[in-house]
Amino acid sequence: MPELPEVQALVDFLATRTAGLATTGVELGSISVLKTFNPPPQALAGVPVDGVVRHGKFIDLDCDGTHLVFHLARAGWLRWSDTMPTTVLRPGKSPIALRVRLSDGSGFDLTEAGTKKRLAAYIVNDPSEVPGIASLGPDPLGPEFTRDVFAGLLRDRRAQIKGLLRDQSVVAGVGNAYSDEVPHVAKMSPFAMAASLDDAAVDRLYAALRDTLSAAVVAASGKPAAELKDAKRAGMRVHGRTGETCPECGDVVREVSFADSSLQYCATCQTGGKPLADRRMSRLLK
Ligand SMILES: [Zn+2]
């Protein structure tokens, strides 16, 4: 799933490619992908693209005041074409969920692999009409996201930092991958309770969050959409690297179950050398 840095790169990519163009049509490969019905897709026929911005992990094309907003979810992706096929996309079993055509013949498809269809698109007059945007927490790279603002978000939270970091209503744009990376950079257990962090730990976590995301934005910047997935994977220290070597200390990267999937961490760097107990496992053994 693309997270803040990759979504930002997609936004920058789309902003460059759509500058001076108009949308000439929006076609649906799946009826269920569009979560709104008014304005209709026809409202985006022949409308100039004024700008492309990011809200958390949402991409927002402002087309003369009508906004096409989408969220790529876990298995969604954006495929750009300088020359779009002329055949009209029809609802069916295609992995293409939505197609956008632009006035110079270029355009892009939103695709989604797998059977679980989570990719969501919205056509609205105001991005805040999208429920997932209305409930977003602050952007961790925004100028207003200070260390004290972050400390305020952690205070009194009975939540583990891994879960808190990827909660979109707390911090906008961090998902499963960077919520593994940030605790590793901060040398902190992903299971540490937010409310229990002392000032020095809050400092470390804040710096790790900002530095990790900023570096990933720089790494992703300027890359075409097709290269972003590999660039994200290549930049990971522990996420998705179970069994590999920790780049900090040489210990093995471990995995433990978390919520509906698993997380990766380094015991030497993050938990005083003690592997985390796998709750799923211990529950089975009881
Ligand atoms: Zn390590």
Side-chain angles (χ1 to χ4, degrees):
M1 174 198 268
E3 301 180 31
L4 186 156
E6 299 79 43
V7 174
Q8 185 62 52
L10 285 173
V11 161
D12 296 342
F13 173 86
L14 280 179
T16 307
R17 296 301 184 104
T18 60
L21 300 180
T23 50
T24 54
V26 171
E27 294 156 18
L28 301 177
S30 146
I31 295 292
S32 62
V33 71
L34 188 63
K35 308 300 178 192
T36 52
F37 55 91
N38 189 28
Q42 293 78 6
L44 293 173
V47 189
V49 182
D50 292 337
V52 187
V53 295
R54 179 179 62 77
H55 312 276
K57 292 184 263 187
F58 290 87
I59 295 174
D60 171 7
L61 265 77
D62 179 356
C63 304
D64 196 27
T66 303
H67 296 254
L68 172 65
V69 176
F70 51 89
H71 187 288
L72 294 170
R74 193 165 284 185
W77 198 248
L78 185 149
R79 190 171 63 200
W80 176 267
S81 299
D82 287 332
T83 310
M84 290 299 277
T86 50
T87 47
V88 175
L89 184 65
R90 305 240 177 249
K93 291 209 159 133
S94 163
I96 302 169
L98 185 142
R99 171 170 286 171
V100 175
R101 295 181 185 277
L102 296 158
S103 47
D104 68 347
S106 68
F108 60 89
D109 287 335
L110 302 184
T111 62
E112 187 168 33
T115 49
K116 275 194 186 149
K117 299 302 179 192
R118 307 257 302 273
L119 194 149
Y122 311 79
I123 300 174
V124 290
N125 293 313
D126 186 325
S128 68
E129 291 170 44
V130 176
I133 291 180
S135 62
L136 276 180
D139 193 280
L141 292 185
E144 70 290 346
F145 194 87
T146 62
R147 187 262 180 214
D148 288 345
V149 165
F150 184 54
L153 296 171
L154 299 174
R155 203 173 295 136
D156 304 330
R157 294 267 182 177
R158 297 169 62 84
Q160 295 163 328
I161 56 170
K162 161 82 181 172
L164 184 125
L165 287 172
R166 65 174 203 176
D167 180 341
Q168 299 305 294
S169 68
V170 179
V171 177
V174 177
N176 204 31
Y178 292 100
S179 62
D180 279 352
E181 296 295 289
V182 169
H184 182 257
V185 172
K187 298 200 180 307
M188 206 175 281
S189 168
F191 288 161
M193 297 300 284
S196 72
L197 300 184
D198 60 19
D199 282 351
V202 173
D203 288 347
R204 270 198 341 268
L205 193 58
Y206 175 73
L209 176 61
R210 297 266 286 193
D211 294 351
T212 301
L213 292 176
S214 307
V217 166
V218 170
S221 167
K223 292 216 162 60
E227 291 175 21
L228 283 170
K229 271 193 217 175
D230 286 343
K232 180 187 180 193
R233 212 172 290 133
M236 292 291 144
R237 300 152 57 102
V238 289
H239 180 75
R241 298 200 179 278
T242 306
E244 295 181 36
T245 304
C246 168
E248 284 293 321
C249 73
D251 193 0
V252 64
V253 173
R254 290 179 163 83
E255 177 174 298
V256 67
S257 66
F258 181 80
D260 54 351
S261 61
S262 57
L263 65 78
Q264 284 87 41
Y265 71 103
C266 169
T268 296
C269 289
Q270 297 176 258
T271 56
K274 217 176 130 198
L276 293 165
D278 196 314
R279 290 153 188 227
R280 197 170 39 189
M281 212 47 141
S282 52
R283 211 165 40 230
L284 287 174
L285 293 173
K286 264 177 197 161

